Amino acid sequence: MSRLLLSAAVAAIVCVTTAGCGDDLVAEPGPPATELGVEVVATHPHDPEAFTQGLEIDEDELLEGTGRAGHSWVSAREVDVDGGTLTLAEAERTREPVLDDFFGEGITVVDDELWQLTWKDGTAVVRDRDTLLEKRRVGYDSEGWGLCARPDRLVMSDGSAELIFRDPTSFAEIGRVTVHREGRAVTNLNELECAEDGSVYANVWQTDEIVRIDPSTGRVDARIDAAPLRDLLPDGAEVDVLNGIAQIPGTDRFLVTGKYWPTLFEVRFVG
């Protein structure tokens, strides 16, 4: 058996036991992804009615986009990081609905605008960053799931194994890459976070898994098991899937939550 075929066989065994891996070999198998866990630094209250789809800290605010047709919104909540300690305001500064019964999805900020995807409506809503009021709409030909911003492009997920790169002004597609772990496609990529180190973190839908992706190659170089966070939720909480990840600027910490979760977890990803 050739080295490539042997590596592919090993990769298949690994991926069978790990959520998100597809059956097709899409790249030459590389080194196994680093296995990480979550270290909880602090907890913060979160709206248990929020069907969280997008989470991002921009300057001094935590921005959140939510889903459900006719019940989607985007909100801004003041946040302060002083001496490494994160403090969140008790109340939102503002909240704006997603109009026309669109199902809201991922969000991100580019300059003085906030972009918000919709799920199956083929529409990106562009909002004023300060007021969160809608300014215009841009169409696209796919589902919308997660969204984050790099200096020269937007990074979008559509529920597949693809990261789609888009122009931050026109939203035109300018490239894409297939995300893979041990050579096999990782599907159901959902909420995205473009981290300060250049990597992209993604929630894997319907799992308690977060993957860290090299966007230049699509390779998953780390897998984070966030399942222990569920055990820390209040007894009896009626929660949905893990979704929502935002790096705390200038730190190695992230905010992580889920749909209908009453808690925002401030965590580090540790080996």
Side-chain angles (χ1 to χ4, degrees), residues 7 28 76 81 143 183 188 194 211 217:
S7 297
E28 184 172 347
V81 182
E143 292 188 4
N188 290 329
C194 290
V211 292
T217 64

Side-chain angles (χ1 to χ4, degrees), residues 86-158:
L86 178 73
T87 304
L88 283 170
E90 292 185 5
E92 296 168 344
R93 175 181 65 81
T94 188
R95 175 186 291 194
E96 289 295 329
V98 179
L99 302 178
D100 296 330
D101 291 340
F102 284 170
F103 193 114
E105 285 281 350
I107 62 168
T108 198
V109 173
V110 178
D111 297 326
D112 60 354
E113 294 182 327
L114 181 142
W115 287 78
Q116 183 175 29
L117 298 177
T118 58
W119 181 24
K120 295 183 177 180
D121 302 294
T123 302
V125 179
V126 185
R127 299 174 177 272
D128 179 89
R129 165 61 186 86
D130 184 50
T131 66
L132 302 186
L133 294 173
E134 183 176 323
K135 294 174 61 176
R136 67 184 188 280
R137 298 178 179 182
V138 180
Y140 54 87
D141 295 325
S142 70
E143 292 188 4
W145 287 45
L147 192 67
C148 68
R150 298 247 49 92
D152 63 340
R153 63 188 58 192
L154 297 174
V155 184
M156 173 180 164
S157 63
D158 62 1

Side-chain angles (χ1 to χ4, degrees), residues 38-54:
V38 288
E39 174 192 3
V40 178
V41 177
T43 60
H44 308 275
H46 181 243
D47 184 352
E49 298 299 318
F51 195 76
T52 303
Q53 303 284 46

Side-chain angles (χ1 to χ4, degrees), residues 67 158 164 232 255:
D158 62 1
I164 305 160
L232 301 177
L255 291 179

